[in-house]
Amino acid sequence: MVKSEDRIEVLGARVHNLKNIDVNIPREKLVVITGLSGSGKSSLAFDTIYAEGQRRYIETFSAYARQFLGSLERPDVDKIEGLSPVIAIEQKTTSKNPRSTVGTITEIYDFLRLLYARAADAYSYNTGEKMVSYTDSQIKELILESFKGKKVNILAPVVRSRKGHYRELFEQIAKQGFIKVRADGQVVDIEKGMKLDRYKTHDIEIVVDRLKIEDKPDSD
């Protein structure tokens, strides 16, 4: 048996062609209203349940705010219980934009993005480790801790897991003044006419600079 707090109870609905009907709708469930054309599906969903939810929501506003919104008439119904604030998706909404979904039309998607970005903990899908934010000074300390006294390469990725010989790319990199790249994990000098196996996937990174990590005071 469904408890009263787990359902929306509509008693004596008489909006449009509804004939004094009583309906119990379970909460937190996907409910579909079906019937013949003119049987009162929209009258029940939009003109009764949605209209009453919208009216109750506006009544929570201050008198000053309500004067700009106008007043909404109460639907012709004896009683509606268990009703939460509601939203309605217009049936006539037609858009060819692939981003037009229930989430975007109602703007719920934007709030969910904000919720997950600010309230949730992000984890790397590659390593499973928790992603955290570091300040510039924290990044500096981590680099010193991991690479102090070691020589490192500063790399700029340009190709990730793609096929091709990349002869033209190497020529462009050389014209920009760079002399080395790391191709498929190996640091090599850029030579004239240099190219890779066009049928294999490659990772290419420009060697921007090479330096030794030392804990020295910053120069003015």
Side-chain angles (χ1 to χ4, degrees), residues 59-77:
E59 283 187 346
T60 63
F61 292 2
S62 65
Y64 176 77
R66 287 202 304 272
Q67 70 177 333
F68 298 103
L69 298 174
S71 60
L72 296 177
E73 294 185 3
R74 187 176 185 276
D76 190 5
V77 61

Side-chain angles (χ1 to χ4, degrees), residues 22-217:
D22 300 338
V23 179
N24 288 328
I25 300 175
R27 292 169 58 90
E28 300 181 2
K29 302 289 184 181
L30 177 62
V31 178
V32 179
I33 302 174
T34 62
L36 298 174
S37 177
S39 59
K41 303 183 295 295
S42 297
S43 297
L44 175 63
F46 293 102
D47 300 324
T48 303
I49 299 175
Y50 169 66
E52 177 63 10
Q54 186 182 43
R55 186 187 69 84
R56 294 183 185 182
Y57 175 64
I58 291 179
E59 283 187 346
T60 63
F61 292 2
S62 65
Y64 176 77
R66 287 202 304 272
Q67 70 177 333
F68 298 103
L69 298 174
S71 60
L72 296 177
E73 294 185 3
R74 187 176 185 276
D76 190 5
V77 61
D78 290 339
K79 183 172 65 172
I80 299 180
E81 293 185 344
L83 187 61
S84 300
V86 295
I87 58 173
I89 312 302
E90 297 246 354
Q91 293 177 336
K92 62 184 179 181
T93 300
T94 56
S95 175
K96 296 182 179 179
N97 188 338
R99 293 189 67 253
S100 294
T101 64
V102 173
T104 55
I105 292 173
T106 60
E107 299 181 357
I108 292 176
Y109 178 71
D110 297 324
F111 291 107
L112 287 176
R113 288 179 60 187
L114 181 63
L115 173 64
Y116 284 114
R118 300 300 181 187
D121 293 327
Y123 290 84
S124 170
Y125 66 89
N126 287 324
T127 65
E129 296 180 357
K130 184 177 179 180
M131 300 173 65
V132 295
S133 177
Y134 292 106
T135 63
D136 292 344
S137 59
Q138 288 175 324
I139 294 174
K140 177 182 176 182
E141 293 299 325
L142 287 172
I143 293 174
L144 287 173
E145 181 181 340
S146 302
F147 302 100
K148 185 175 181 181
K150 298 180 180 179
K151 294 181 178 180
V152 299
N153 294 324
I154 299 177
L155 306 174
V158 289
V159 173
R160 289 294 193 191
S161 300
R162 290 168 52 192
K163 295 181 180 180
H165 57 72
Y166 296 108
R167 178 175 177 175
E168 294 82 3
L169 176 62
F170 291 131
E171 291 176 354
Q172 294 175 4
I173 294 173
K175 288 179 181 179
Q176 294 174 4
F178 299 104
I179 60 175
K180 291 180 180 290
V181 295
R182 187 169 77 170
D184 301 330
Q186 184 177 1
V187 178
V188 295
D189 293 326
I190 300 176
E191 299 176 351
K192 187 176 181 180
M194 177 179 173
K195 60 181 180 179
L196 304 176
D197 189 338
R198 64 179 302 178
Y199 299 107
K200 294 182 179 179
T201 57
H202 303 287
D203 294 324
I204 302 174
E205 299 148 308
I206 302 173
V207 179
V208 178
D209 199 359
R210 295 187 296 171
L211 49 88
K212 185 176 181 180
I213 303 298
E214 295 179 343
D215 190 7
K216 293 183 178 180

